[in-house]
Amino acid sequence: MSTKLCPLSDHALEILRHTIGHDEHGPREGIRRNYFAACRGGDRDRSHLVALCLRGLLRRGRCIPKDMGDLVYYHVTEAGREYVEAHRIPRPPLTRSQQRYRAYLAADTGETFIEWLRRYPERRYWGERL
């Protein structure tokens, strides 16, 4: 069964992405997971979860008893991971300002951003006043 022949709804794709900790651009930083907890009763995602299981993109995991929350866990299969990867949108490039701020965060000097910029004039744009 090829997942390329039958596209998923946006909501179903979002469920797959959420289950493995991805956004539309790929893995989110610092998040590694493979589970989706859904209420066993009238959950609004239930029809999507059942459809994803039938297509082999998701598998049903263990159930939690009512006295502990009445949840069912679902896990993405390898085919589901491939589908998410195939529908990934490339990240837009960072602007100069974003690159500069990330460099400040990576430096971890304990200074405020403005102090960090003042200490290194080459980090400023031409004509900026600080």
Side-chain angles (χ1 to χ4, degrees):
M1 169 174 35
S2 174
T3 55
K4 293 179 184 173
L5 298 176
C6 33
L8 297 176
S9 69
D10 290 342
H11 187 67
L13 180 57
E14 188 56 38
I15 288 173
L16 284 177
R17 287 176 176 155
H18 173 77
T19 303
I20 56 175
H22 285 211
D23 62 16
E24 65 273 7
H25 303 298
R28 286 183 259 164
E29 287 185 39
I31 298 178
R32 291 184 47 88
R33 59 181 275 166
N34 186 6
Y35 66 90
F36 186 95
C39 293
R40 209 183 313 207
D43 194 272
R44 71 179 187 91
D45 296 322
R46 182 159 169 64
S47 62
H48 293 287
L49 294 167
V50 170
L52 288 167
C53 286
L54 291 173
R55 294 173 84 165
L57 302 175
L58 206 60
R59 69 176 170 76
R60 186 177 169 154
R62 66 186 178 130
C63 298
I64 304 298
K66 283 187 179 187
D67 60 333
M68 296 177 68
D70 201 24
L71 298 173
V72 178
Y73 282 90
Y74 294 87
H75 308 280
V76 174
T77 64
E78 192 57 39
R81 285 185 183 277
E82 291 170 8
Y83 190 92
V84 169
E85 190 62 34
H87 291 83
R88 187 173 167 177
I89 300 168
R91 288 194 191 279
L94 295 176
T95 65
R96 283 180 61 185
S97 296
Q98 291 168 327
Q99 291 172 5
R100 183 174 52 183
Y101 190 69
R102 286 200 178 181
Y104 158 71
L105 292 175
D108 195 21
T109 62
E111 301 170 295
T112 65
F113 184 54
I114 196 72
E115 291 168 342
W116 185 78
L117 286 174
R118 284 183 178 145
R119 201 160 44 89
Y120 297 98
E122 68 274 6
R123 293 184 183 137
R124 292 185 256 156
Y125 291 124
W126 286 101
E128 281 187 9
R129 300 181 116 194
L130 296 179

